[in-house]
């Protein structure tokens, strides 16, 4: 899913008024990194990368289970998993605002948006109580049922999200075809088409990011499906699930890096 990142006040070092040159700002890695780490999603995805990289090491049997290092990796992975839940406190508000501020071209799009944002919002809302249960504030006996409900809500949300993104890809393809025709006609007439070429590049970049978002949702969907089935059956192998988690984390981290 692609919830809108929470709005945070820019730090002094990233204030546009202090650095009026956009090219210099883009090339300043430390300012970019500071802005990235100031975002909740930025830190969360770095934790996700470290967690699933650790899970891949454990699932691939690179380390014998008897080694103390293997036990440390397991403790680290479990700790990071709980820590990530803390970053989801109040995150369901993003989905409420995204749904409230969206404009819809049809009833079909409205229904898909309600499924996508509603499913994800419910998942993030339930995750708050899962975190409280795992942290010991509420009885842990409720954690399993809460996780099951949250997994179903998240899975339904991914179905809506992927459907919306496929619709967006079709629209982008139509816009791309229309621009291509305009460029071909302009080239035949000997007219300039530099502005159209720039729009075409932006469309292709947008299409690439949208495709990556679909791949990310599919990877997350595979993981959620495994959670629903309690890790049993096909598409539930530890190495496959860990690899899907790392792929999703890398795509999300890349998108967050470009957006900040």
């Amino acid at each position: 899913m692609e919830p809108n990142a929470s709005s945070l006040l820019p730090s002094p070092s990233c204030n546009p008024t202090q650095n009026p040159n956009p090219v210099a700002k883009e090339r300043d890695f430390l300012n970019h990194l500071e802005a990235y780490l100031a975002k909740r999603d930025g830190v969360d995805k770095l934790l996700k990368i470290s967690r699933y990289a650790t899970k891949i090491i454990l699932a691939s049997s690179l380390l014998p289970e008897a080694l103390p290092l293997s036990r440390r990796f397991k403790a680290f992975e479990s700790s990071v998993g709980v820590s990530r839940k803390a970053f989801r406190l109040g995150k369901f508000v993003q989905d409420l605002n995204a749904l409230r501020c969206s404009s819809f071209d049809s009833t079909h799009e409205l229904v898909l948006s309600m499924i996508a944002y509603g499913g994800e919002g419910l998942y993030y809302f339930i995750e708050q109580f899962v975190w409280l249960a795992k942290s010991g504030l509420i009885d842990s006996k409720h954690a399993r049922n809460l996780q099951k409900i949250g997994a179903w809500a998240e899975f339904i949300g991914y179905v809506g999200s992927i459907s919306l993104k496929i619709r967006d890809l079709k629209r982008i393809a139509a816009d791309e075809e229309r621009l291509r025709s305009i460029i071909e006609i302009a080239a035949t007439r000997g007219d300039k088409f530099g502005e159209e070429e720039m729009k075409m590049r932006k469309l292709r970049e947008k299409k690439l990011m949208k495709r990556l978002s679909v791949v990310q949702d599919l990877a997350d969907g595979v993981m959620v499906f495994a959670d629903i089935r309690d890790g049993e059956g096909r598409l539930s192998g530890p190495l496959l699930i860990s690899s899907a988690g790392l792929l999703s984390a890398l795509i999300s981290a890349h998108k967050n890096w470009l957006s900040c």
Side-chain angles (χ1 to χ4, degrees):
M1 301 287 288
E2 286 180 294
N4 297 327
S6 57
S7 57
L8 297 173
L9 292 176
S11 61
S13 60
C14 294
N15 194 325
T17 60
Q18 293 185 6
N19 189 5
N21 187 347
V23 177
K25 181 180 179 181
E26 182 181 352
R27 293 178 179 177
D28 193 327
F29 173 77
L30 290 180
N31 278 350
H32 198 166
L33 180 61
E34 181 183 357
Y36 179 82
L37 294 177
K39 296 173 63 175
R40 178 202 334 226
D41 285 342
V43 177
D44 179 54
K45 299 316 172 188
L46 289 180
L47 289 174
K48 187 175 181 179
I49 290 172
S50 63
R51 184 190 183 199
Y52 283 100
T54 303
K55 288 174 73 73
I56 286 176
I57 294 174
L58 293 172
S60 60
S61 302
L62 292 175
L63 297 175
E65 293 187 6
L67 281 181
L69 183 59
S70 179
R71 291 193 294 270
R72 290 176 184 174
F73 274 156
K74 288 181 180 178
F76 172 77
E77 182 272 322
S78 178
S79 177
V80 170
V82 176
S83 299
R84 287 190 63 219
K85 295 185 184 300
F87 283 92
R88 296 166 186 169
L89 290 175
K91 200 171 181 180
F92 68 94
V93 177
Q94 295 177 6
D95 294 283
L96 291 177
N97 283 333
L99 185 60
R100 185 168 60 97
C101 300
S102 298
S103 57
F104 310 104
D105 297 333
S106 64
T107 303
H108 186 213
E109 187 171 352
L110 171 62
V111 172
L112 288 178
S113 296
M114 291 182 66
I115 292 173
Y117 291 116
E120 185 184 63
L122 179 58
Y123 162 70
Y124 282 134
F125 182 76
I126 293 174
E127 277 290 275
Q128 298 175 122
F129 298 98
V130 175
W131 174 66
L132 292 176
K134 288 184 174 293
S135 300
L137 188 60
I138 63 177
D139 198 329
S140 59
K141 68 180 182 181
H142 302 298
R144 179 175 174 80
N145 289 333
L146 287 171
Q147 285 179 306
K148 183 70 73 173
I149 296 172
W152 273 109
E154 188 180 14
F155 186 77
I156 292 171
Y158 284 133
V159 172
S161 177
I162 292 172
S163 300
L164 284 174
K165 289 168 185 174
I166 290 175
R167 285 169 62 92
D168 290 342
L169 283 170
K170 290 179 180 179
R171 291 173 181 172
I172 293 173
D175 292 340
E176 193 175 13
E177 185 62 30
R178 184 169 60 252
L179 263 179
R180 186 179 294 109
S181 298
I182 293 174
I183 292 174
E184 289 175 355
I185 293 173
T188 302
R189 294 176 177 176
D191 297 335
K192 296 181 180 180
F193 47 87
E195 184 178 347
E196 285 74 14
E197 282 191 328
M198 185 177 299
K199 289 181 180 179
M200 180 67 80
R201 284 196 296 269
K202 290 181 179 179
L203 269 179
R204 287 170 178 169
E205 291 174 1
K206 185 178 180 180
K207 181 171 67 174
L208 174 61
M209 297 307 297
K210 191 68 67 173
R211 285 176 172 174
L212 287 176
S213 294
V214 172
V215 172
Q216 179 188 350
D217 282 354
L218 288 172
D220 285 330
V222 169
M223 290 191 294
V224 175
F225 187 67
D227 289 339
I228 291 174
R229 303 183 65 183
D230 295 323
E232 299 178 355
R234 294 182 178 180
L235 301 178
S236 299
L239 186 57
L240 174 63
I241 298 303
S242 302
S243 300
L246 183 59
L247 174 62
S248 169
L250 290 172
I251 293 174
S252 184
H254 174 67
K255 292 191 300 182
N256 287 331
W257 179 262
L258 294 178
S259 67
C260 69

